[in-house]
Amino acid sequence: MIRRRPHLLWLLVPYVLYLGALPLVNRVSPLLFGVPFLFVWLLGATLLTPVAVWLTRRGDVRDRRRGGHA
């Protein structure tokens, strides 16, 4: 399925940002913008999640236009 629809890999980005990298970024210091690093990391992951979903959707629409799948 991934060979036919590689754009689905974009959906792994939020998973990796939230769960995969969480043990590595679970720090109070350094402070960025006056808030703990973990908070900034989670905020960034939250903002990147719709981008990843949009990129996946865009790939699906392009694939359908080319007749890639039903």
Side-chain angles (χ1 to χ4, degrees), residues 17-38:
L17 288 176
Y18 279 113
L19 299 177
L22 194 59
L24 303 174
V25 299
N26 191 10
R27 310 267 186 273
V28 172
S29 61
L31 294 177
L32 297 174
F33 310 112
V35 295
F37 181 69
L38 180 60

Side-chain angles (χ1 to χ4, degrees), residues 3-67:
R3 285 186 187 162
R4 292 186 303 163
R5 298 169 61 187
H7 49 273
L8 290 178
L9 292 173
W10 282 111
L11 295 177
L12 289 176
V13 170
Y15 178 78
V16 169
L17 288 176
Y18 279 113
L19 299 177
L22 194 59
L24 303 174
V25 299
N26 191 10
R27 310 267 186 273
V28 172
S29 61
L31 294 177
L32 297 174
F33 310 112
V35 295
F37 181 69
L38 180 60
F39 180 78
V40 174
W41 181 270
L42 292 175
L43 179 63
T46 302
L47 295 175
L48 286 176
T49 297
V51 174
V53 172
W54 175 75
L55 287 169
T56 302
R57 174 70 178 144
R58 192 178 103 186
D60 253 356
V61 169
R62 283 184 178 179
D63 206 19
R64 286 184 185 200
R65 284 184 189 156
R66 284 186 277 174

